[in-house]
Coordinates of all heavy atoms in Angstrom, one line a residue:
M1307 N 30.4 20.2 1.9 CA 30.4 21.0 3.0 C 31.7 21.9 3.0 O 32.7 21.4 2.7 CB 30.4 20.1 4.3 CG 30.3 20.9 5.5 SD 30.1 19.9 7.1 CE 29.6 18.3 6.6
T1308 N 31.5 23.1 3.3 CA 32.6 24.0 3.3 C 33.3 24.1 4.6 O 32.7 23.8 5.7 CB 32.2 25.5 2.9 OG1 31.2 25.9 3.8 CG2 31.6 25.5 1.5
T1309 N 34.5 24.6 4.6 CA 35.3 24.7 5.9 C 34.6 25.6 6.8 O 34.1 26.7 6.4 CB 36.7 25.2 5.5 OG1 37.3 24.3 4.6 CG2 37.6 25.3 6.8
G1310 N 34.6 25.3 8.1 CA 33.9 26.1 9.1 C 32.5 25.7 9.5 O 32.0 26.0 10.5
Q1311 N 31.9 24.9 8.6 CA 30.6 24.4 8.9 C 30.7 23.2 9.8 O 31.7 22.4 9.7 CB 29.8 23.9 7.6 CG 29.3 25.1 6.8 CD 28.5 24.5 5.6 OE1 28.9 23.5 5.0 NE2 27.5 25.2 5.2
S1312 N 29.7 23.0 10.7 CA 29.8 21.8 11.6 C 29.2 20.6 10.8 O 28.5 20.8 9.8 CB 28.9 22.1 12.8 OG 27.6 22.3 12.4
K1313 N 29.6 19.5 11.3 CA 29.2 18.2 10.7 C 27.7 18.0 10.9 O 27.2 18.2 12.0 CB 30.0 17.1 11.3 CG 29.7 15.7 10.7 CD 30.6 14.7 11.3 CE 30.3 13.3 10.8 NZ 31.3 12.3 11.2
P1314 N 26.9 17.7 9.9 CA 25.5 17.4 10.1 C 25.3 16.2 11.0 O 26.0 15.3 11.0 CB 24.9 17.2 8.7 CG 26.1 16.8 7.9 CD 27.3 17.4 8.5
K1315 N 24.2 16.3 11.7 CA 23.8 15.1 12.6 C 23.3 14.0 11.7 O 23.5 12.8 12.0 CB 22.8 15.5 13.6 CG 23.4 16.5 14.6 CD 22.3 16.9 15.6 CE 22.9 17.9 16.6 NZ 21.9 18.4 17.5
I1316 N 22.5 14.3 10.7 CA 21.8 13.3 9.9 C 22.1 13.5 8.4 O 22.2 14.7 7.9 CB 20.3 13.4 10.1 CG1 20.0 13.1 11.5 CG2 19.6 12.4 9.2 CD1 18.5 13.4 11.9
S1317 N 22.4 12.4 7.7 CA 22.5 12.5 6.2 C 21.3 11.7 5.7 O 21.1 10.5 6.1 CB 23.8 11.8 5.8 OG 24.9 12.6 6.2
V1318 N 20.5 12.3 4.9 CA 19.4 11.6 4.2 C 19.8 11.2 2.8 O 20.2 12.0 2.0 CB 18.1 12.5 4.1 CG1 17.0 11.7 3.5 CG2 17.7 13.0 5.5
V1319 N 19.9 9.9 2.6 CA 20.3 9.3 1.3 C 19.1 8.9 0.5 O 18.3 8.0 1.0 CB 21.3 8.2 1.5 CG1 21.8 7.6 0.2 CG2 22.6 8.7 2.3
I1320 N 19.1 9.3 -0.7 CA 17.9 9.0 -1.6 C 18.5 8.5 -2.9 O 19.0 9.2 -3.8 CB 17.1 10.3 -1.9 CG1 16.7 11.0 -0.6 CG2 15.9 9.9 -2.8 CD1 16.2 12.4 -0.8
P1321 N 18.4 7.2 -3.2 CA 18.7 6.6 -4.5 C 17.6 7.0 -5.5 O 16.4 7.0 -5.1 CB 18.8 5.1 -4.2 CG 18.0 4.9 -3.0 CD 18.0 6.1 -2.2
A1322 N 18.0 7.3 -6.7 CA 17.0 7.7 -7.7 C 17.4 7.2 -9.1 O 18.5 7.2 -9.5 CB 16.9 9.2 -7.7
Y1323 N 16.4 6.7 -9.8 CA 16.5 6.3 -11.1 C 15.3 6.7 -11.9 O 14.2 6.2 -11.6 CB 16.7 4.8 -11.3 CG 16.9 4.3 -12.7 CD1 18.0 4.5 -13.4 CD2 15.8 3.7 -13.3 CE1 18.1 4.1 -14.7 CE2 15.9 3.3 -14.6 CZ 17.0 3.5 -15.3 OH 17.1 3.1 -16.7
N1324 N 15.5 7.6 -12.9 CA 14.4 8.1 -13.7 C 13.2 8.6 -12.8 O 12.0 8.2 -13.0 CB 13.9 7.1 -14.7 CG 14.9 6.8 -15.8 OD1 15.9 7.6 -16.0 ND2 14.8 5.7 -16.5
E1325 N 13.5 9.5 -11.9 CA 12.5 10.0 -11.0 C 12.2 11.5 -11.1 O 11.7 12.1 -10.2 CB 12.9 9.7 -9.5 CG 13.0 8.2 -9.2 CD 11.7 7.5 -9.1 OE1 10.6 8.2 -9.1 OE2 11.7 6.3 -9.0
E1326 N 12.4 12.1 -12.3 CA 12.2 13.5 -12.5 C 10.8 14.0 -12.1 O 10.6 15.1 -11.7 CB 12.6 13.9 -13.9 CG 11.6 13.5 -15.0 CD 12.0 14.0 -16.3 OE1 12.4 15.2 -16.5 OE2 11.8 13.3 -17.3
K1327 N 9.8 13.1 -12.3 CA 8.4 13.5 -12.0 C 8.1 13.5 -10.5 O 7.2 14.2 -10.1 CB 7.5 12.6 -12.7 CG 7.5 12.6 -14.2 CD 6.5 11.7 -14.8 CE 6.6 11.7 -16.3 NZ 5.7 10.7 -16.9
Y1328 N 8.9 12.8 -9.7 CA 8.6 12.7 -8.3 C 9.6 13.3 -7.3 O 9.3 13.6 -6.2 CB 8.5 11.2 -8.0 CG 7.5 10.5 -8.9 CD1 7.9 9.7 -9.9 CD2 6.1 10.7 -8.7 CE1 7.1 9.0 -10.8 CE2 5.2 10.1 -9.6 CZ 5.7 9.3 -10.6 OH 4.8 8.7 -11.5
I1329 N 10.9 13.4 -7.7 CA 11.9 13.8 -6.8 C 11.7 15.2 -6.2 O 12.1 15.5 -5.1 CB 13.3 13.7 -7.5 CG1 14.5 13.8 -6.5 CG2 13.5 14.7 -8.6 CD1 14.7 12.6 -5.7
G1330 N 11.1 16.1 -7.0 CA 10.8 17.4 -6.5 C 9.9 17.4 -5.2 O 10.2 18.1 -4.2
R1331 N 8.9 16.6 -5.3 CA 8.0 16.5 -4.1 C 8.7 15.9 -2.9 O 8.5 16.4 -1.8 CB 6.8 15.7 -4.5 CG 5.7 15.6 -3.4 CD 4.5 14.8 -3.9 NE 5.0 13.4 -4.1 CZ 4.3 12.3 -3.6 NH1 3.3 12.5 -2.8 NH2 4.8 11.1 -3.7
T1332 N 9.5 15.0 -3.2 CA 10.3 14.3 -2.1 C 11.3 15.4 -1.5 O 11.3 15.5 -0.2 CB 11.1 13.2 -2.7 OG1 10.2 12.2 -3.2 CG2 12.0 12.5 -1.6
L1333 N 12.0 16.1 -2.3 CA 12.9 17.1 -1.8 C 12.2 18.3 -1.1 O 12.7 18.7 0.0 CB 13.8 17.6 -2.9 CG 14.7 16.5 -3.5 CD1 15.5 17.0 -4.7 CD2 15.7 15.9 -2.4
E1334 N 11.1 18.7 -1.6 CA 10.3 19.8 -0.9 C 10.0 19.3 0.5 O 10.1 20.1 1.5 CB 9.1 20.1 -1.7 CG 9.4 21.0 -2.9 CD 8.1 21.3 -3.7 OE1 7.0 21.3 -3.1 OE2 8.3 21.5 -4.9
A1335 N 9.5 18.1 0.6 CA 9.1 17.6 2.0 C 10.4 17.5 2.9 O 10.3 17.9 4.1 CB 8.5 16.2 1.8
L1336 N 11.5 17.1 2.4 CA 12.7 17.0 3.2 C 13.3 18.4 3.6 O 13.8 18.6 4.6 CB 13.8 16.2 2.5 CG 13.5 14.7 2.5 CD1 14.4 14.0 1.5 CD2 13.7 14.2 3.9
L1337 N 13.1 19.4 2.7 CA 13.6 20.7 3.0 C 12.7 21.5 3.9 O 13.1 22.6 4.3 CB 14.0 21.4 1.7 CG 15.1 20.7 0.9 CD1 15.3 21.4 -0.5 CD2 16.4 20.7 1.6
N1338 N 11.5 21.0 4.1 CA 10.6 21.7 5.0 C 10.3 20.9 6.3 O 9.2 20.9 6.8 CB 9.2 21.9 4.2 CG 9.4 22.9 3.2 OD1 9.7 24.1 3.5 ND2 9.1 22.6 1.9
Q1339 N 11.4 20.4 6.8 CA 11.3 19.6 8.1 C 11.3 20.6 9.3 O 11.8 21.7 9.2 CB 12.5 18.7 8.2 CG 12.6 17.6 7.2 CD 11.5 16.6 7.5 OE1 11.5 15.9 8.6 NE2 10.5 16.4 6.6
D1340 N 10.8 20.1 10.4 CA 10.8 20.9 11.6 C 12.1 20.7 12.4 O 12.2 21.0 13.5 CB 9.6 20.6 12.5 CG 9.5 19.2 13.0 OD1 10.5 18.4 12.7 OD2 8.6 18.9 13.8
F1341 N 13.1 20.2 11.7 CA 14.4 19.9 12.2 C 15.3 21.0 11.7 O 15.2 21.4 10.5 CB 14.8 18.5 11.7 CG 15.9 17.9 12.5 CD1 15.7 17.3 13.7 CD2 17.2 17.8 11.9 CE1 16.8 16.7 14.4 CE2 18.2 17.2 12.6 CZ 18.0 16.6 13.8
P1342 N 16.3 21.5 12.5 CA 17.2 22.5 12.0 C 17.9 22.1 10.7 O 18.6 21.1 10.7 CB 18.2 22.7 13.2 CG 17.5 22.2 14.4 CD 16.6 21.1 13.9
R1343 N 17.8 23.0 9.7 CA 18.4 22.7 8.4 C 19.9 22.4 8.5 O 20.4 21.6 7.8 CB 18.0 23.8 7.4 CG 18.5 23.5 6.0 CD 17.8 22.3 5.4 NE 18.4 22.0 4.1 CZ 19.3 21.0 3.9 NH1 19.7 20.3 4.9 NH2 19.7 20.8 2.7
E1344 N 20.6 23.1 9.4 CA 22.0 23.0 9.5 C 22.4 21.6 10.1 O 23.6 21.2 10.0 CB 22.7 24.1 10.2 CG 22.2 24.2 11.7 CD 21.0 25.0 11.9 OE1 20.3 25.4 11.0 OE2 20.6 25.2 13.1
D1345 N 21.5 20.9 10.6 CA 21.7 19.6 11.3 C 21.5 18.4 10.4 O 21.6 17.3 10.8 CB 20.9 19.5 12.6 CG 21.4 20.4 13.7 OD1 22.6 20.9 13.6 OD2 20.6 20.6 14.6
Y1346 N 21.2 18.7 9.1 CA 21.0 17.5 8.2 C 21.4 17.9 6.8 O 21.3 19.1 6.4 CB 19.6 16.9 8.3 CG 18.5 17.7 7.7 CD1 18.0 17.5 6.4 CD2 17.9 18.7 8.5 CE1 17.0 18.2 5.9 CE2 16.9 19.5 8.0 CZ 16.4 19.2 6.7 OH 15.3 20.0 6.2
E1347 N 21.8 16.9 6.0 CA 22.1 17.1 4.6 C 21.2 16.1 3.8 O 20.8 15.1 4.4 CB 23.6 16.8 4.3 CG 24.0 15.4 4.5 CD 25.5 15.1 4.1 OE1 26.1 16.0 3.4 OE2 26.0 14.1 4.5
V1348 N 21.0 16.5 2.6 CA 20.2 15.6 1.7 C 21.1 15.2 0.5 O 21.7 16.1 -0.1 CB 18.9 16.3 1.2 CG1 18.1 15.4 0.3 CG2 18.0 16.7 2.4
I1349 N 21.2 13.9 0.3 CA 22.0 13.4 -0.8 C 21.1 12.6 -1.8 O 20.5 11.6 -1.3 CB 23.1 12.5 -0.3 CG1 24.0 13.3 0.7 CG2 24.0 12.0 -1.4 CD1 25.0 12.4 1.5
V1350 N 21.1 13.0 -3.0 CA 20.4 12.2 -4.1 C 21.5 11.5 -4.8 O 22.5 12.1 -5.3 CB 19.6 13.1 -5.0 CG1 19.0 12.3 -6.2 CG2 18.5 13.8 -4.2
V1351 N 21.3 10.2 -4.9 CA 22.3 9.4 -5.7 C 21.6 9.0 -7.0 O 20.7 8.1 -7.0 CB 22.7 8.1 -4.9 CG1 23.8 7.3 -5.7 CG2 23.3 8.5 -3.5
D1352 N 22.0 9.6 -8.1 CA 21.4 9.3 -9.4 C 22.1 8.0 -9.9 O 23.3 8.0 -10.1 CB 21.6 10.5 -10.3 CG 21.0 10.2 -11.7 OD1 20.5 9.1 -12.0 OD2 20.9 11.2 -12.5
N1353 N 21.3 7.0 -10.1 CA 21.8 5.7 -10.5 C 21.7 5.5 -12.0 O 21.2 4.5 -12.4 CB 21.0 4.6 -9.7 CG 21.6 3.3 -9.7 OD1 20.9 2.3 -9.5 ND2 22.9 3.2 -9.9
G1354 N 22.2 6.5 -12.7 CA 22.2 6.3 -14.2 C 20.9 6.7 -14.9 O 20.6 6.1 -16.0
S1355 N 20.2 7.6 -14.4 CA 18.9 8.1 -14.9 C 19.1 8.5 -16.4 O 20.1 9.1 -16.7 CB 18.3 9.2 -14.1 OG 18.0 8.8 -12.8
K1356 N 18.0 8.2 -17.2 CA 18.0 8.7 -18.6 C 17.2 9.9 -18.7 O 17.0 10.5 -19.8 CB 17.4 7.6 -19.5 CG 18.1 6.2 -19.3 CD 19.5 6.2 -19.8 CE 20.0 4.8 -19.8 NZ 21.3 4.7 -19.2
D1357 N 16.6 10.4 -17.6 CA 15.7 11.6 -17.7 C 16.5 12.8 -17.0 O 17.7 12.7 -16.8 CB 14.4 11.3 -17.1 CG 14.4 11.0 -15.6 OD1 15.5 11.0 -15.0 OD2 13.3 10.7 -15.1
E1358 N 15.7 13.7 -16.5 CA 16.3 14.9 -15.8 C 16.3 14.9 -14.3 O 16.3 15.9 -13.6 CB 15.5 16.2 -16.3 CG 15.6 16.4 -17.8 CD 17.0 16.6 -18.3 OE1 17.8 17.4 -17.6 OE2 17.4 16.1 -19.3
T1359 N 16.4 13.7 -13.8 CA 16.4 13.5 -12.3 C 17.5 14.4 -11.6 O 17.2 15.1 -10.7 CB 16.6 12.0 -11.9 OG1 15.5 11.3 -12.4 CG2 16.7 11.8 -10.4
S1360 N 18.7 14.3 -12.1 CA 19.8 15.1 -11.5 C 19.5 16.6 -11.6 O 19.8 17.3 -10.7 CB 21.1 14.7 -12.2 OG 21.6 13.5 -11.8
S1361 N 19.1 17.0 -12.8 CA 18.9 18.5 -13.0 C 17.8 19.0 -12.0 O 17.9 20.0 -11.4 CB 18.4 18.7 -14.4 OG 19.4 18.4 -15.3
V1362 N 16.7 18.2 -11.9 CA 15.7 18.6 -10.9 C 16.2 18.7 -9.5 O 16.0 19.6 -8.8 CB 14.4 17.7 -11.1 CG1 13.4 17.9 -10.0 CG2 13.8 17.7 -12.4
A1363 N 16.9 17.6 -9.1 CA 17.4 17.6 -7.7 C 18.4 18.8 -7.5 O 18.4 19.4 -6.4 CB 18.1 16.3 -7.5
K1364 N 19.2 19.1 -8.4 CA 20.2 20.2 -8.2 C 19.5 21.5 -8.0 O 20.0 22.4 -7.3 CB 21.1 20.3 -9.5 CG 22.1 19.1 -9.5 CD 23.0 19.2 -10.7 CE 23.9 18.0 -10.8 NZ 24.7 17.9 -12.0
K1365 N 18.3 21.7 -8.6 CA 17.6 22.9 -8.4 C 17.2 23.1 -6.9 O 16.9 24.3 -6.5 CB 16.3 22.9 -9.2 CG 16.6 23.1 -10.7 CD 15.3 23.0 -11.5 CE 15.7 23.0 -13.0 NZ 14.5 22.9 -13.9
Y1366 N 17.2 22.1 -6.1 CA 16.8 22.2 -4.7 C 18.0 22.4 -3.8 O 17.9 22.5 -2.6 CB 16.0 20.9 -4.3 CG 14.7 20.9 -4.8 CD1 14.4 20.4 -6.1 CD2 13.6 21.4 -4.1 CE1 13.1 20.4 -6.6 CE2 12.3 21.4 -4.6 CZ 12.1 20.9 -5.9 OH 10.8 20.9 -6.4
G1367 N 19.2 22.5 -4.4 CA 20.4 22.8 -3.7 C 20.9 21.7 -2.8 O 21.6 21.9 -1.8
V1368 N 20.5 20.4 -3.1 CA 21.0 19.3 -2.3 C 22.2 18.7 -3.0 O 22.5 19.0 -4.2 CB 19.9 18.2 -2.2 CG1 18.7 18.8 -1.5 CG2 19.5 17.6 -3.5
R1369 N 22.9 17.8 -2.3 CA 24.1 17.1 -3.0 C 23.5 16.1 -3.9 O 22.6 15.3 -3.6 CB 24.9 16.4 -1.9 CG 25.9 17.3 -1.2 CD 26.6 16.5 -0.1 NE 27.6 15.6 -0.7 CZ 28.2 14.6 0.0 NH1 28.0 14.5 1.3 NH2 29.1 13.8 -0.6
V1370 N 24.1 16.1 -5.1 CA 23.7 15.1 -6.1 C 24.9 14.3 -6.5 O 25.9 14.9 -7.0 CB 23.0 15.7 -7.4 CG1 22.6 14.7 -8.4 CG2 21.8 16.5 -6.9
L1371 N 24.9 13.0 -6.3 CA 26.0 12.2 -6.7 C 25.6 11.3 -7.9 O 24.4 10.9 -8.0 CB 26.4 11.3 -5.5 CG 26.7 12.0 -4.2 CD1 27.0 11.0 -3.1 CD2 27.9 12.9 -4.4
S1372 N 26.5 10.9 -8.7 CA 26.2 10.0 -9.8 C 26.9 8.7 -9.5 O 28.0 8.6 -9.1 CB 26.8 10.5 -11.1 OG 26.7 9.6 -12.1
Y1373 N 26.1 7.6 -9.5 CA 26.6 6.3 -9.3 C 26.1 5.4 -10.4 O 24.9 5.1 -10.5 CB 26.1 5.8 -7.9 CG 26.6 4.4 -7.6 CD1 27.9 4.1 -7.3 CD2 25.7 3.3 -7.7 CE1 28.3 2.9 -7.0 CE2 26.1 2.0 -7.4 CZ 27.5 1.8 -7.0 OH 27.9 0.6 -6.8
T1374 N 27.0 4.9 -11.2 CA 26.6 4.0 -12.3 C 27.4 2.7 -12.4 O 27.3 2.0 -13.3 CB 26.8 4.8 -13.7 OG1 28.2 5.2 -13.8 CG2 25.9 6.0 -13.8
K1375 N 28.1 2.5 -11.3 CA 28.9 1.2 -11.3 C 28.0 0.0 -11.4 O 28.3 -0.9 -12.1 CB 29.7 1.2 -10.0 CG 30.7 0.0 -9.9 CD 31.5 0.0 -8.7 CE 32.5 -1.2 -8.7 NZ 33.3 -1.1 -7.5
T1376 N 26.9 0.0 -10.6 CA 25.9 -1.1 -10.7 C 24.6 -0.5 -10.7 O 24.4 0.6 -10.1 CB 26.1 -2.1 -9.5 OG1 25.9 -1.4 -8.3 CG2 27.4 -2.8 -9.5
Q1377 N 23.6 -1.1 -11.3 CA 22.3 -0.6 -11.3 C 21.5 -1.2 -10.1 O 21.7 -2.4 -9.8 CB 21.5 -1.0 -12.6 CG 20.2 -0.4 -12.7 CD 20.2 1.1 -12.9 OE1 21.0 1.6 -13.7 NE2 19.4 1.8 -12.2
G1378 N 20.8 -0.4 -9.4 CA 20.0 -1.0 -8.3 C 20.0 -0.1 -7.1 O 21.0 0.6 -6.8
V1379 N 18.9 -0.1 -6.3 CA 18.7 0.8 -5.2 C 19.7 0.5 -4.1 O 20.2 1.4 -3.4 CB 17.3 0.7 -4.7 CG1 16.9 -0.7 -4.1 CG2 17.0 1.8 -3.7
S1380 N 20.0 -0.8 -3.8 CA 20.9 -1.1 -2.7 C 22.3 -0.5 -2.9 O 23.0 0.0 -2.0 CB 21.0 -2.6 -2.4 OG 21.4 -3.3 -3.5
G1381 N 22.9 -0.7 -4.1 CA 24.2 -0.2 -4.4 C 24.3 1.3 -4.4 O 25.2 1.9 -3.8
A1382 N 23.2 2.0 -4.9 CA 23.2 3.4 -4.9 C 23.0 4.0 -3.5 O 23.7 4.9 -3.1 CB 22.0 3.9 -5.7
R1383 N 22.2 3.3 -2.7 CA 22.0 3.7 -1.3 C 23.4 3.6 -0.5 O 23.8 4.4 0.3 CB 20.9 3.0 -0.6 CG 20.5 3.5 0.7 CD 19.4 2.8 1.4 NE 18.2 2.5 0.6 CZ 17.2 3.3 0.4 NH1 17.2 4.5 0.9 NH2 16.2 3.0 -0.4
Q1384 N 24.0 2.4 -0.7 CA 25.3 2.2 -0.1 C 26.4 3.2 -0.5 O 27.1 3.8 0.4 CB 25.8 0.8 -0.4 CG 27.1 0.4 0.4 CD 27.5 -1.0 0.2 OE1 27.3 -1.6 -0.9 NE2 28.1 -1.6 1.2
Y1385 N 26.4 3.5 -1.7 CA 27.4 4.6 -2.2 C 27.1 5.9 -1.5 O 28.0 6.6 -1.0 CB 27.3 4.7 -3.7 CG 28.2 5.8 -4.3 CD1 29.6 5.6 -4.3 CD2 27.6 7.0 -4.7 CE1 30.4 6.6 -4.8 CE2 28.5 8.0 -5.2 CZ 29.8 7.8 -5.3 OH 30.6 8.8 -5.8
G1386 N 25.8 6.3 -1.5 CA 25.5 7.6 -0.8 C 25.8 7.5 0.7 O 26.3 8.6 1.2
S1387 N 25.7 6.4 1.3 CA 26.0 6.3 2.7 C 27.5 6.5 2.9 O 27.9 7.1 3.9 CB 25.5 4.9 3.3 OG 24.1 4.9 3.2
F1388 N 28.3 5.9 2.1 CA 29.8 6.0 2.2 C 30.2 7.5 2.0 O 31.2 8.0 2.6 CB 30.5 5.2 1.1 CG 30.5 3.7 1.5 CD1 30.3 2.8 0.4 CD2 30.6 3.2 2.8 CE1 30.3 1.4 0.7 CE2 30.6 1.9 3.0 CZ 30.5 1.0 2.0
E1389 N 29.5 8.2 1.2 CA 29.8 9.6 0.9 C 29.2 10.6 1.9 O 29.5 11.8 1.8 CB 29.3 10.0 -0.6 CG 30.1 9.2 -1.6 CD 31.5 9.6 -1.7 OE1 31.9 10.8 -1.6 OE2 32.4 8.7 -1.9
A1390 N 28.3 10.1 2.7 CA 27.6 11.0 3.7 C 28.5 11.6 4.7 O 29.5 11.0 5.1 CB 26.5 10.2 4.3
N1391 N 28.2 12.7 5.3 CA 28.9 13.4 6.3 C 28.2 13.3 7.7 O 28.9 13.6 8.7 CB 29.1 14.9 6.0 CG 29.9 15.1 4.8 OD1 31.0 14.6 4.7 ND2 29.4 15.9 3.9
G1392 N 27.0 12.8 7.8 CA 26.3 12.8 9.0 C 26.7 11.7 9.9 O 27.2 10.7 9.5
E1393 N 26.3 11.9 11.2 CA 26.6 10.8 12.2 C 25.5 9.7 12.1 O 25.8 8.5 12.4 CB 26.5 11.4 13.6 CG 27.5 12.5 13.9 CD 27.2 13.3 15.2 OE1 26.5 12.7 16.1 OE2 27.6 14.4 15.3
I1394 N 24.4 10.0 11.6 CA 23.3 9.1 11.4 C 22.9 9.1 9.9 O 22.8 10.2 9.3 CB 22.0 9.5 12.2 CG1 22.3 9.5 13.7 CG2 20.8 8.6 11.9 CD1 21.3 10.2 14.6
I1395 N 22.7 7.9 9.3 CA 22.2 7.8 8.0 C 20.8 7.4 7.9 O 20.4 6.5 8.6 CB 23.0 6.7 7.2 CG1 24.5 6.9 7.3 CG2 22.6 6.7 5.7 CD1 25.1 8.2 6.7
A1396 N 20.0 8.3 7.3 CA 18.6 8.0 7.1 C 18.3 7.8 5.6 O 19.0 8.4 4.8 CB 17.7 9.1 7.6
G1397 N 17.4 6.9 5.2 CA 17.1 6.7 3.8 C 15.7 6.8 3.6 O 14.8 6.5 4.4
T1398 N 15.3 7.3 2.4 CA 14.0 7.3 1.9 C 14.0 7.1 0.4 O 15.1 7.1 -0.2 CB 13.2 8.6 2.3 OG1 11.8 8.4 2.0 CG2 13.8 9.8 1.6
D1399 N 12.9 6.9 -0.2 CA 12.8 6.7 -1.6 C 12.6 8.0 -2.3 O 12.1 9.0 -1.8 CB 11.7 5.7 -1.9 CG 12.0 4.3 -1.4 OD1 13.2 3.9 -1.4 OD2 11.1 3.6 -1.0
S1400 N 12.9 8.0 -3.6 CA 12.8 9.2 -4.4 C 11.4 9.6 -4.8 O 11.2 10.7 -5.3 CB 13.7 9.1 -5.7 OG 13.3 7.9 -6.4
D1401 N 10.4 8.8 -4.5 CA 9.0 9.1 -4.8 C 8.2 9.1 -3.5 O 7.0 8.9 -3.5 CB 8.4 8.1 -5.8 CG 8.5 6.6 -5.2 OD1 9.0 6.4 -4.1 OD2 7.9 5.8 -5.9
T1402 N 8.8 9.4 -2.4 CA 8.2 9.5 -1.1 C 8.2 10.9 -0.5 O 9.3 11.4 -0.4 CB 8.8 8.5 -0.1 OG1 8.8 7.2 -0.7 CG2 8.2 8.5 1.2
A1403 N 7.1 11.4 -0.1 CA 7.0 12.7 0.6 C 6.8 12.4 2.1 O 5.8 11.9 2.5 CB 5.9 13.5 0.1
V1404 N 7.9 12.6 2.9 CA 7.9 12.3 4.3 C 7.1 13.5 5.0 O 7.0 14.6 4.5 CB 9.3 12.2 4.9 CG1 10.0 11.0 4.2 CG2 10.1 13.5 4.7
S1405 N 6.6 13.2 6.2 CA 6.0 14.2 7.0 C 7.0 15.2 7.5 O 8.2 14.9 7.6 CB 5.2 13.5 8.2 OG 6.2 12.9 9.1
N1406 N 6.5 16.4 7.9 CA 7.4 17.5 8.3 C 8.1 17.2 9.6 O 9.1 18.0 9.9 CB 6.7 18.8 8.3 CG 5.7 18.9 9.4 OD1 5.2 17.9 10.0 ND2 5.5 20.2 9.8
N1407 N 7.8 16.2 10.3 CA 8.5 15.9 11.6 C 9.3 14.6 11.4 O 9.7 14.0 12.4 CB 7.5 15.8 12.7 CG 6.5 14.7 12.6 OD1 6.3 14.1 11.6 ND2 5.8 14.4 13.7
W1408 N 9.5 14.1 10.2 CA 10.1 12.8 10.0 C 11.5 12.8 10.6 O 11.9 11.8 11.2 CB 10.2 12.6 8.5 CG 10.7 11.3 8.0 CD1 10.1 10.1 8.2 CD2 12.0 11.0 7.4 NE1 10.9 9.0 7.7 CE2 12.0 9.6 7.2 CE3 13.0 11.8 6.9 CZ2 13.1 9.0 6.5 CZ3 14.1 11.2 6.3 CH2 14.1 9.8 6.1
L1409 N 12.3 13.8 10.5 CA 13.7 13.8 11.0 C 13.7 13.9 12.5 O 14.6 13.4 13.2 CB 14.5 14.8 10.4 CG 15.0 14.6 8.9 CD1 15.7 15.8 8.4 CD2 15.8 13.3 8.8
S1410 N 12.7 14.6 13.1 CA 12.6 14.8 14.5 C 12.4 13.5 15.2 O 12.8 13.2 16.2 CB 11.5 15.8 14.9 OG 11.8 17.0 14.4

């Protein structure tokens, strides 16, 4: 987040491991919410993927964090939550396409 921007209301944290085939669909759904885009951030936590998960996620302009301290969804989700800027933390999986009113 750059100086001058307001703090997002919601941070969506997505742990991911070798999800290059699915993460795009997930991010498209999140970026097409009926919720104001400036009121939420999307964070993908790459948990040591061996494929192009991070590269695909970066193409969507979301925050991509690398977390390799421990392998597993809970550690990656927790790390993303600690790094989040939102007042509310929401989580979804990297292979899930949420409805367009999910954040509302």
Side-chain angles (χ1 to χ4, degrees):
M1307 189 174 338
T1308 61
T1309 304
Q1311 285 183 325
S1312 62
K1313 183 176 179 175
K1315 292 179 181 173
I1316 301 173
S1317 295
V1318 180
V1319 177
I1320 307 165
Y1323 177 75
N1324 291 343
E1325 296 288 350
E1326 72 178 318
K1327 293 180 182 177
Y1328 307 104
I1329 194 77
R1331 184 177 68 127
T1332 299
L1333 295 175
E1334 284 178 26
L1336 284 167
L1337 295 175
N1338 287 304
Q1339 293 291 296
D1340 65 357
F1341 196 77
R1343 183 65 185 99
E1344 64 274 7
D1345 288 342
Y1346 70 99
E1347 67 176 343
V1348 178
I1349 302 170
V1350 173
V1351 182
D1352 185 349
N1353 197 202
S1355 296
K1356 308 291 186 229
D1357 65 2
E1358 297 300 314
T1359 297
S1360 285
S1361 297
V1362 172
K1364 287 176 184 175
K1365 290 178 184 177
Y1366 287 87
V1368 301
R1369 282 179 66 192
V1370 179
L1371 305 176
S1372 177
Y1373 180 73
T1374 56
K1375 185 175 180 180
T1376 58
Q1377 187 68 44
V1379 69
S1380 62
R1383 192 178 311 275
Q1384 184 176 31
Y1385 177 73
S1387 296
F1388 286 142
E1389 295 295 318
N1391 294 310
E1393 299 169 25
I1394 298 168
I1395 308 295
T1398 191
D1399 294 324
S1400 53
D1401 61 353
T1402 301
V1404 297
S1405 64
N1406 70 335
N1407 64 347
W1408 186 69
L1409 288 175
S1410 296

